[in-house]
PDB file of all heavy atoms in Angstrom:
ATOM      1  N   TYR A 817     167.411 -13.843 115.187  1.00  0.00           N
ATOM      2  CA  TYR A 817     168.166 -12.726 114.627  1.00  0.00           C
ATOM      3  C   TYR A 817     169.637 -12.729 115.034  1.00  0.00           C
ATOM      4  O   TYR A 817     170.218 -11.674 115.279  1.00  0.00           O
ATOM      5  CB  TYR A 817     167.510 -11.404 115.030  1.00  0.00           C
ATOM      6  CG  TYR A 817     166.028 -11.394 114.793  1.00  0.00           C
ATOM      7  CD1 TYR A 817     165.135 -11.171 115.849  1.00  0.00           C
ATOM      8  CD2 TYR A 817     165.500 -11.622 113.522  1.00  0.00           C
ATOM      9  CE1 TYR A 817     163.771 -11.172 115.634  1.00  0.00           C
ATOM     10  CE2 TYR A 817     164.138 -11.632 113.307  1.00  0.00           C
ATOM     11  CZ  TYR A 817     163.271 -11.411 114.372  1.00  0.00           C
ATOM     12  OH  TYR A 817     161.914 -11.419 114.158  1.00  0.00           O
ATOM     13  N   ASN A 818     170.245 -13.915 115.132  1.00  0.00           N
ATOM     14  CA  ASN A 818     171.689 -13.923 115.372  1.00  0.00           C
ATOM     15  C   ASN A 818     172.408 -13.230 114.217  1.00  0.00           C
ATOM     16  O   ASN A 818     173.425 -12.582 114.414  1.00  0.00           O
ATOM     17  CB  ASN A 818     172.206 -15.348 115.524  1.00  0.00           C
ATOM     18  CG  ASN A 818     173.664 -15.375 115.890  1.00  0.00           C
ATOM     19  OD1 ASN A 818     174.058 -14.872 116.932  1.00  0.00           O
ATOM     20  ND2 ASN A 818     174.497 -15.928 115.017  1.00  0.00           N
ATOM     21  N   ASN A 819     171.875 -13.385 113.016  1.00  0.00           N
ATOM     22  CA  ASN A 819     172.253 -12.546 111.881  1.00  0.00           C
ATOM     23  C   ASN A 819     171.124 -11.523 111.738  1.00  0.00           C
ATOM     24  O   ASN A 819     170.024 -11.867 111.313  1.00  0.00           O
ATOM     25  CB  ASN A 819     172.389 -13.389 110.616  1.00  0.00           C
ATOM     26  CG  ASN A 819     172.533 -12.555 109.348  1.00  0.00           C
ATOM     27  OD1 ASN A 819     172.477 -11.333 109.376  1.00  0.00           O
ATOM     28  ND2 ASN A 819     172.709 -13.219 108.220  1.00  0.00           N
ATOM     29  N   PRO A 820     171.354 -10.262 112.099  1.00  0.00           N
ATOM     30  CA  PRO A 820     170.263  -9.287 112.126  1.00  0.00           C
ATOM     31  C   PRO A 820     170.052  -8.528 110.826  1.00  0.00           C
ATOM     32  O   PRO A 820     169.400  -7.492 110.807  1.00  0.00           O
ATOM     33  CB  PRO A 820     170.702  -8.333 113.245  1.00  0.00           C
ATOM     34  CG  PRO A 820     172.191  -8.322 113.125  1.00  0.00           C
ATOM     35  CD  PRO A 820     172.595  -9.711 112.684  1.00  0.00           C
ATOM     36  N   ALA A 821     170.590  -9.027 109.698  1.00  0.00           N
ATOM     37  CA  ALA A 821     170.550  -8.271 108.445  1.00  0.00           C
ATOM     38  C   ALA A 821     169.125  -8.023 107.961  1.00  0.00           C
ATOM     39  O   ALA A 821     168.762  -6.896 107.609  1.00  0.00           O
ATOM     40  CB  ALA A 821     171.360  -9.003 107.368  1.00  0.00           C
ATOM     41  N   PHE A 822     168.311  -9.054 107.911  1.00  0.00           N
ATOM     42  CA  PHE A 822     166.945  -8.889 107.417  1.00  0.00           C
ATOM     43  C   PHE A 822     166.110  -8.089 108.410  1.00  0.00           C
ATOM     44  O   PHE A 822     165.238  -7.303 108.035  1.00  0.00           O
ATOM     45  CB  PHE A 822     166.312 -10.248 107.152  1.00  0.00           C
ATOM     46  CG  PHE A 822     165.052 -10.181 106.327  1.00  0.00           C
ATOM     47  CD1 PHE A 822     165.087  -9.677 105.038  1.00  0.00           C
ATOM     48  CD2 PHE A 822     163.844 -10.618 106.828  1.00  0.00           C
ATOM     49  CE1 PHE A 822     163.931  -9.604 104.267  1.00  0.00           C
ATOM     50  CE2 PHE A 822     162.687 -10.549 106.068  1.00  0.00           C
ATOM     51  CZ  PHE A 822     162.730 -10.043 104.785  1.00  0.00           C
ATOM     52  N   LEU A 823     166.395  -8.269 109.691  1.00  0.00           N
ATOM     53  CA  LEU A 823     165.683  -7.517 110.729  1.00  0.00           C
ATOM     54  C   LEU A 823     165.949  -6.024 110.607  1.00  0.00           C
ATOM     55  O   LEU A 823     165.021  -5.211 110.647  1.00  0.00           O
ATOM     56  CB  LEU A 823     166.114  -8.012 112.108  1.00  0.00           C
ATOM     57  CG  LEU A 823     165.596  -7.203 113.301  1.00  0.00           C
ATOM     58  CD1 LEU A 823     164.082  -7.327 113.416  1.00  0.00           C
ATOM     59  CD2 LEU A 823     166.272  -7.655 114.596  1.00  0.00           C
ATOM     60  N   ILE A 824     167.211  -5.631 110.454  1.00  0.00           N
ATOM     61  CA  ILE A 824     167.521  -4.203 110.398  1.00  0.00           C
ATOM     62  C   ILE A 824     166.950  -3.576 109.131  1.00  0.00           C
ATOM     63  O   ILE A 824     166.507  -2.422 109.140  1.00  0.00           O
ATOM     64  CB  ILE A 824     169.039  -3.959 110.518  1.00  0.00           C
ATOM     65  CG1 ILE A 824     169.327  -2.488 110.868  1.00  0.00           C
ATOM     66  CG2 ILE A 824     169.784  -4.367 109.271  1.00  0.00           C
ATOM     67  CD1 ILE A 824     170.773  -2.212 111.190  1.00  0.00           C
ATOM     68  N   ALA A 825     166.915  -4.350 108.031  1.00  0.00           N
ATOM     69  CA  ALA A 825     166.307  -3.839 106.801  1.00  0.00           C
ATOM     70  C   ALA A 825     164.814  -3.602 107.014  1.00  0.00           C
ATOM     71  O   ALA A 825     164.246  -2.597 106.554  1.00  0.00           O
ATOM     72  CB  ALA A 825     166.534  -4.828 105.664  1.00  0.00           C
ATOM     73  N   ARG A 826     164.168  -4.514 107.707  1.00  0.00           N
ATOM     74  CA  ARG A 826     162.733  -4.379 107.993  1.00  0.00           C
ATOM     75  C   ARG A 826     162.475  -3.185 108.908  1.00  0.00           C
ATOM     76  O   ARG A 826     161.537  -2.398 108.684  1.00  0.00           O
ATOM     77  CB  ARG A 826     162.251  -5.675 108.660  1.00  0.00           C
ATOM     78  CG  ARG A 826     160.752  -5.770 108.836  1.00  0.00           C
ATOM     79  CD  ARG A 826     160.399  -7.150 109.369  1.00  0.00           C
ATOM     80  NE  ARG A 826     160.719  -7.298 110.781  1.00  0.00           N
ATOM     81  CZ  ARG A 826     161.016  -8.455 111.353  1.00  0.00           C
ATOM     82  NH1 ARG A 826     161.106  -9.555 110.628  1.00  0.00           N
ATOM     83  NH2 ARG A 826     161.242  -8.515 112.653  1.00  0.00           N
ATOM     84  N   MET A 827     163.299  -3.028 109.928  1.00  0.00           N
ATOM     85  CA  MET A 827     163.094  -1.938 110.878  1.00  0.00           C
ATOM     86  C   MET A 827     163.397  -0.573 110.264  1.00  0.00           C
ATOM     87  O   MET A 827     162.904   0.457 110.736  1.00  0.00           O
ATOM     88  CB  MET A 827     163.948  -2.171 112.128  1.00  0.00           C
ATOM     89  CG  MET A 827     163.497  -3.371 112.935  1.00  0.00           C
ATOM     90  SD  MET A 827     164.470  -3.663 114.438  1.00  0.00           S
ATOM     91  CE  MET A 827     163.979  -2.252 115.439  1.00  0.00           C
ATOM     92  N   ALA A 828     164.205  -0.560 109.225  1.00  0.00           N
ATOM     93  CA  ALA A 828     164.522   0.709 108.561  1.00  0.00           C
ATOM     94  C   ALA A 828     163.452   1.134 107.573  1.00  0.00           C
ATOM     95  O   ALA A 828     163.317   2.324 107.283  1.00  0.00           O
ATOM     96  CB  ALA A 828     165.861   0.587 107.832  1.00  0.00           C
ATOM     97  N   THR A 829     162.675   0.167 107.070  1.00  0.00           N
ATOM     98  CA  THR A 829     161.774   0.483 105.951  1.00  0.00           C
ATOM     99  C   THR A 829     160.293   0.346 106.242  1.00  0.00           C
ATOM    100  O   THR A 829     159.483   1.071 105.662  1.00  0.00           O
ATOM    101  CB  THR A 829     162.113  -0.415 104.746  1.00  0.00           C
ATOM    102  OG1 THR A 829     161.968  -1.798 105.120  1.00  0.00           O
ATOM    103  CG2 THR A 829     163.542  -0.175 104.275  1.00  0.00           C
ATOM    104  N   HIS A 830     159.906  -0.565 107.120  1.00  0.00           N
ATOM    105  CA  HIS A 830     158.473  -0.774 107.334  1.00  0.00           C
ATOM    106  C   HIS A 830     157.884   0.366 108.166  1.00  0.00           C
ATOM    107  O   HIS A 830     158.464   0.763 109.183  1.00  0.00           O
ATOM    108  CB  HIS A 830     158.214  -2.112 108.033  1.00  0.00           C
ATOM    109  CG  HIS A 830     156.776  -2.542 107.947  1.00  0.00           C
ATOM    110  ND1 HIS A 830     155.792  -2.024 108.764  1.00  0.00           N
ATOM    111  CD2 HIS A 830     156.160  -3.417 107.119  1.00  0.00           C
ATOM    112  CE1 HIS A 830     154.633  -2.572 108.454  1.00  0.00           C
ATOM    113  NE2 HIS A 830     154.828  -3.428 107.462  1.00  0.00           N
ATOM    114  N   PRO A 831     156.727   0.883 107.767  1.00  0.00           N
ATOM    115  CA  PRO A 831     156.124   2.026 108.477  1.00  0.00           C
ATOM    116  C   PRO A 831     155.887   1.777 109.963  1.00  0.00           C
ATOM    117  O   PRO A 831     155.895   2.724 110.753  1.00  0.00           O
ATOM    118  CB  PRO A 831     154.801   2.232 107.733  1.00  0.00           C
ATOM    119  CG  PRO A 831     155.030   1.689 106.363  1.00  0.00           C
ATOM    120  CD  PRO A 831     155.959   0.525 106.555  1.00  0.00           C
ATOM    121  N   ALA A 832     155.698   0.533 110.362  1.00  0.00           N
ATOM    122  CA  ALA A 832     155.423   0.248 111.770  1.00  0.00           C
ATOM    123  C   ALA A 832     156.558   0.685 112.683  1.00  0.00           C
ATOM    124  O   ALA A 832     156.336   1.009 113.853  1.00  0.00           O
ATOM    125  CB  ALA A 832     155.152  -1.250 111.949  1.00  0.00           C
ATOM    126  N   TYR A 833     157.782   0.716 112.149  1.00  0.00           N
ATOM    127  CA  TYR A 833     158.942   1.107 112.952  1.00  0.00           C
ATOM    128  C   TYR A 833     159.225   2.607 112.876  1.00  0.00           C
ATOM    129  O   TYR A 833     160.151   3.109 113.507  1.00  0.00           O
ATOM    130  CB  TYR A 833     160.176   0.318 112.516  1.00  0.00           C
ATOM    131  CG  TYR A 833     160.037  -1.173 112.728  1.00  0.00           C
ATOM    132  CD1 TYR A 833     159.646  -2.006 111.684  1.00  0.00           C
ATOM    133  CD2 TYR A 833     160.259  -1.738 113.974  1.00  0.00           C
ATOM    134  CE1 TYR A 833     159.505  -3.383 111.877  1.00  0.00           C
ATOM    135  CE2 TYR A 833     160.129  -3.104 114.178  1.00  0.00           C
ATOM    136  CZ  TYR A 833     159.741  -3.920 113.121  1.00  0.00           C
ATOM    137  OH  TYR A 833     159.601  -5.278 113.312  1.00  0.00           O
ATOM    138  N   LYS A 834     158.461   3.312 112.052  1.00  0.00           N
ATOM    139  CA  LYS A 834     158.434   4.780 112.003  1.00  0.00           C
ATOM    140  C   LYS A 834     159.718   5.434 111.501  1.00  0.00           C
ATOM    141  O   LYS A 834     160.020   6.575 111.847  1.00  0.00           O
ATOM    142  CB  LYS A 834     158.047   5.336 113.379  1.00  0.00           C
ATOM    143  CG  LYS A 834     156.673   4.862 113.836  1.00  0.00           C
ATOM    144  CD  LYS A 834     156.244   5.480 115.152  1.00  0.00           C
ATOM    145  CE  LYS A 834     154.855   4.985 115.547  1.00  0.00           C
ATOM    146  NZ  LYS A 834     154.396   5.565 116.831  1.00  0.00           N
ATOM    147  N   LEU A 835     160.473   4.692 110.687  1.00  0.00           N
ATOM    148  CA  LEU A 835     161.555   5.315 109.927  1.00  0.00           C
ATOM    149  C   LEU A 835     161.125   5.473 108.474  1.00  0.00           C
ATOM    150  O   LEU A 835     161.306   6.521 107.871  1.00  0.00           O
ATOM    151  CB  LEU A 835     162.832   4.470 110.002  1.00  0.00           C
ATOM    152  CG  LEU A 835     163.788   4.720 111.154  1.00  0.00           C
ATOM    153  CD1 LEU A 835     165.003   3.809 111.042  1.00  0.00           C
ATOM    154  CD2 LEU A 835     164.238   6.183 111.219  1.00  0.00           C
ATOM    155  N   SER A 836     160.578   4.379 107.941  1.00  0.00           N
ATOM    156  CA  SER A 836     159.994   4.372 106.586  1.00  0.00           C
ATOM    157  C   SER A 836     160.979   4.849 105.519  1.00  0.00           C
ATOM    158  O   SER A 836     160.628   5.603 104.620  1.00  0.00           O
ATOM    159  CB  SER A 836     158.726   5.243 106.544  1.00  0.00           C
ATOM    160  OG  SER A 836     157.749   4.752 107.418  1.00  0.00           O
ATOM    161  N   TRP A 837     162.227   4.393 105.617  1.00  0.00           N
ATOM    162  CA  TRP A 837     163.187   4.746 104.576  1.00  0.00           C
ATOM    163  C   TRP A 837     162.787   4.074 103.265  1.00  0.00           C
ATOM    164  O   TRP A 837     162.317   2.933 103.269  1.00  0.00           O
ATOM    165  CB  TRP A 837     164.588   4.318 104.981  1.00  0.00           C
ATOM    166  CG  TRP A 837     165.177   5.175 106.062  1.00  0.00           C
ATOM    167  CD1 TRP A 837     164.698   6.368 106.519  1.00  0.00           C
ATOM    168  CD2 TRP A 837     166.360   4.906 106.820  1.00  0.00           C
ATOM    169  NE1 TRP A 837     165.508   6.863 107.509  1.00  0.00           N
ATOM    170  CE2 TRP A 837     166.543   5.995 107.712  1.00  0.00           C
ATOM    171  CE3 TRP A 837     167.285   3.876 106.835  1.00  0.00           C
ATOM    172  CZ2 TRP A 837     167.602   6.062 108.610  1.00  0.00           C
ATOM    173  CZ3 TRP A 837     168.351   3.931 107.728  1.00  0.00           C
ATOM    174  CH2 TRP A 837     168.511   5.013 108.601  1.00  0.00           C
ATOM    175  N   PRO A 838     162.959   4.753 102.134  1.00  0.00           N
ATOM    176  CA  PRO A 838     162.563   4.200 100.839  1.00  0.00           C
ATOM    177  C   PRO A 838     163.350   2.933 100.506  1.00  0.00           C
ATOM    178  O   PRO A 838     164.528   2.797 100.862  1.00  0.00           O
ATOM    179  CB  PRO A 838     162.895   5.325  99.854  1.00  0.00           C
ATOM    180  CG  PRO A 838     162.948   6.565 100.682  1.00  0.00           C
ATOM    181  CD  PRO A 838     163.458   6.135 102.019  1.00  0.00           C
ATOM    182  N   THR A 839     162.695   2.013  99.830  1.00  0.00           N
ATOM    183  CA  THR A 839     163.348   0.798  99.384  1.00  0.00           C
ATOM    184  C   THR A 839     163.746   0.932  97.918  1.00  0.00           C
ATOM    185  O   THR A 839     163.288   1.825  97.215  1.00  0.00           O
ATOM    186  CB  THR A 839     162.429  -0.415  99.547  1.00  0.00           C
ATOM    187  OG1 THR A 839     161.234  -0.210  98.771  1.00  0.00           O
ATOM    188  CG2 THR A 839     162.053  -0.613 101.006  1.00  0.00           C
ATOM    189  N   GLY A 840     164.592   0.031  97.480  1.00  0.00           N
ATOM    190  CA  GLY A 840     165.047   0.043  96.100  1.00  0.00           C
ATOM    191  C   GLY A 840     166.534  -0.228  96.036  1.00  0.00           C
ATOM    192  O   GLY A 840     167.278   0.088  96.968  1.00  0.00           O
ATOM    193  N   GLU A 841     166.971  -0.799  94.936  1.00  0.00           N
ATOM    194  CA  GLU A 841     168.382  -1.171  94.791  1.00  0.00           C
ATOM    195  C   GLU A 841     169.326   0.024  94.828  1.00  0.00           C
ATOM    196  O   GLU A 841     170.494  -0.112  95.195  1.00  0.00           O
ATOM    197  CB  GLU A 841     168.581  -1.939  93.478  1.00  0.00           C
ATOM    198  CG  GLU A 841     167.846  -3.266  93.450  1.00  0.00           C
ATOM    199  CD  GLU A 841     167.863  -3.905  92.076  1.00  0.00           C
ATOM    200  OE1 GLU A 841     168.737  -3.541  91.252  1.00  0.00           O
ATOM    201  OE2 GLU A 841     167.012  -4.767  91.810  1.00  0.00           O
ATOM    202  N   LYS A 842     168.821   1.205  94.483  1.00  0.00           N
ATOM    203  CA  LYS A 842     169.655   2.403  94.473  1.00  0.00           C
ATOM    204  C   LYS A 842     169.346   3.337  95.647  1.00  0.00           C
ATOM    205  O   LYS A 842     169.875   4.435  95.714  1.00  0.00           O
ATOM    206  CB  LYS A 842     169.471   3.143  93.147  1.00  0.00           C
ATOM    207  CG  LYS A 842     169.873   2.304  91.937  1.00  0.00           C
ATOM    208  CD  LYS A 842     169.633   3.017  90.630  1.00  0.00           C
ATOM    209  CE  LYS A 842     170.014   2.140  89.437  1.00  0.00           C
ATOM    210  NZ  LYS A 842     169.758   2.813  88.134  1.00  0.00           N
ATOM    211  N   LYS A 843     168.477   2.856  96.534  1.00  0.00           N
ATOM    212  CA  LYS A 843     168.087   3.679  97.677  1.00  0.00           C
ATOM    213  C   LYS A 843     168.476   3.076  99.019  1.00  0.00           C
ATOM    214  O   LYS A 843     168.526   3.785 100.030  1.00  0.00           O
ATOM    215  CB  LYS A 843     166.578   3.921  97.649  1.00  0.00           C
ATOM    216  CG  LYS A 843     166.113   4.739  96.457  1.00  0.00           C
ATOM    217  CD  LYS A 843     164.611   4.965  96.495  1.00  0.00           C
ATOM    218  CE  LYS A 843     164.146   5.807  95.310  1.00  0.00           C
ATOM    219  NZ  LYS A 843     162.681   6.021  95.331  1.00  0.00           N
ATOM    220  N   LEU A 844     168.734   1.762  99.045  1.00  0.00           N
ATOM    221  CA  LEU A 844     169.042   1.106 100.310  1.00  0.00           C
ATOM    222  C   LEU A 844     170.127   0.054 100.095  1.00  0.00           C
ATOM    223  O   LEU A 844     169.988  -0.826  99.235  1.00  0.00           O
ATOM    224  CB  LEU A 844     167.786   0.442 100.894  1.00  0.00           C
ATOM    225  CG  LEU A 844     167.898  -0.044 102.341  1.00  0.00           C
ATOM    226  CD1 LEU A 844     168.014   1.143 103.304  1.00  0.00           C
ATOM    227  CD2 LEU A 844     166.678  -0.893 102.716  1.00  0.00           C
ATOM    228  N   LEU A 845     171.209   0.161 100.868  1.00  0.00           N
ATOM    229  CA  LEU A 845     172.320  -0.788 100.815  1.00  0.00           C
ATOM    230  C   LEU A 845     172.409  -1.506 102.161  1.00  0.00           C
ATOM    231  O   LEU A 845     172.455  -0.860 103.207  1.00  0.00           O
ATOM    232  CB  LEU A 845     173.637  -0.058 100.540  1.00  0.00           C
ATOM    233  CG  LEU A 845     174.913  -0.899 100.588  1.00  0.00           C
ATOM    234  CD1 LEU A 845     174.943  -1.924  99.467  1.00  0.00           C
ATOM    235  CD2 LEU A 845     176.153   0.004 100.519  1.00  0.00           C
ATOM    236  N   VAL A 846     172.419  -2.836 102.125  1.00  0.00           N
ATOM    237  CA  VAL A 846     172.547  -3.635 103.341  1.00  0.00           C
ATOM    238  C   VAL A 846     173.813  -4.475 103.226  1.00  0.00           C
ATOM    239  O   VAL A 846     173.951  -5.280 102.306  1.00  0.00           O
ATOM    240  CB  VAL A 846     171.334  -4.562 103.543  1.00  0.00           C
ATOM    241  CG1 VAL A 846     171.508  -5.386 104.821  1.00  0.00           C
ATOM    242  CG2 VAL A 846     170.041  -3.759 103.593  1.00  0.00           C
ATOM    243  N   MET A 847     174.739  -4.273 104.169  1.00  0.00           N
ATOM    244  CA  MET A 847     175.970  -5.062 104.199  1.00  0.00           C
ATOM    245  C   MET A 847     175.990  -5.861 105.496  1.00  0.00           C
ATOM    246  O   MET A 847     175.705  -5.318 106.569  1.00  0.00           O
ATOM    247  CB  MET A 847     177.198  -4.169 104.071  1.00  0.00           C
ATOM    248  CG  MET A 847     177.147  -3.264 102.846  1.00  0.00           C
ATOM    249  SD  MET A 847     178.728  -2.482 102.438  1.00  0.00           S
ATOM    250  CE  MET A 847     179.471  -3.731 101.385  1.00  0.00           C
ATOM    251  N   SER A 848     176.304  -7.141 105.373  1.00  0.00           N
ATOM    252  CA  SER A 848     176.203  -8.063 106.498  1.00  0.00           C
ATOM    253  C   SER A 848     177.525  -8.801 106.675  1.00  0.00           C
ATOM    254  O   SER A 848     178.106  -9.293 105.705  1.00  0.00           O
ATOM    255  CB  SER A 848     175.067  -9.066 106.224  1.00  0.00           C
ATOM    256  OG  SER A 848     175.033 -10.089 107.184  1.00  0.00           O
ATOM    257  N   VAL A 849     177.992  -8.895 107.930  1.00  0.00           N
ATOM    258  CA  VAL A 849     179.270  -9.551 108.212  1.00  0.00           C
ATOM    259  C   VAL A 849     179.068 -10.619 109.278  1.00  0.00           C
ATOM    260  O   VAL A 849     178.529 -10.345 110.356  1.00  0.00           O
ATOM    261  CB  VAL A 849     180.337  -8.545 108.687  1.00  0.00           C
ATOM    262  CG1 VAL A 849     181.689  -9.247 108.800  1.00  0.00           C
ATOM    263  CG2 VAL A 849     180.432  -7.356 107.746  1.00  0.00           C
ATOM    264  N   GLY A 850     179.516 -11.846 108.960  1.00  0.00           N
ATOM    265  CA  GLY A 850     179.388 -12.951 109.895  1.00  0.00           C
ATOM    266  C   GLY A 850     180.650 -13.177 110.706  1.00  0.00           C
ATOM    267  O   GLY A 850     181.691 -12.558 110.476  1.00  0.00           O
ATOM    268  N   THR A 851     180.559 -14.092 111.654  1.00  0.00           N
ATOM    269  CA  THR A 851     181.697 -14.429 112.511  1.00  0.00           C
ATOM    270  C   THR A 851     182.307 -15.779 112.125  1.00  0.00           C
ATOM    271  O   THR A 851     183.118 -16.332 112.862  1.00  0.00           O
ATOM    272  CB  THR A 851     181.263 -14.494 113.989  1.00  0.00           C
ATOM    273  OG1 THR A 851     180.224 -15.481 114.127  1.00  0.00           O
ATOM    274  CG2 THR A 851     180.747 -13.151 114.471  1.00  0.00           C
ATOM    275  N   GLY A 852     181.908 -16.288 110.963  1.00  0.00           N
ATOM    276  CA  GLY A 852     182.393 -17.591 110.523  1.00  0.00           C
ATOM    277  C   GLY A 852     181.367 -18.664 110.796  1.00  0.00           C
ATOM    278  O   GLY A 852     180.807 -18.735 111.899  1.00  0.00           O
ATOM    279  N   SER A 853     181.056 -19.465 109.796  1.00  0.00           N
ATOM    280  CA  SER A 853     180.099 -20.551 109.970  1.00  0.00           C
ATOM    281  C   SER A 853     180.841 -21.868 110.053  1.00  0.00           C
ATOM    282  O   SER A 853     181.874 -22.064 109.416  1.00  0.00           O
ATOM    283  CB  SER A 853     179.105 -20.579 108.804  1.00  0.00           C
ATOM    284  OG  SER A 853     179.775 -20.822 107.581  1.00  0.00           O
TER     285      SER A 853
END
């Protein structure tokens, strides 16, 4: 998870993490910024 984008999306939405935010293109926005590859 050096790039934590997919991890944070999972932790925000999957019931196991107990946030359970709704998914969908108009319900969840994920913006990711790198340090240069």
Side-chain angles (χ1 to χ4, degrees):
Y817 312 121
N818 185 62
N819 170 357
F822 194 62
L823 172 66
I824 197 172
R826 188 174 75 208
M827 293 181 69
T829 59
H830 195 281
Y833 297 97
K834 300 184 179 180
L835 272 181
S836 299
W837 287 348
T839 60
E841 296 171 20
K842 299 178 181 179
K843 295 181 179 179
L844 191 68
L845 174 66
V846 180
M847 306 194 88
S848 172
V849 187
T851 59
S853 62

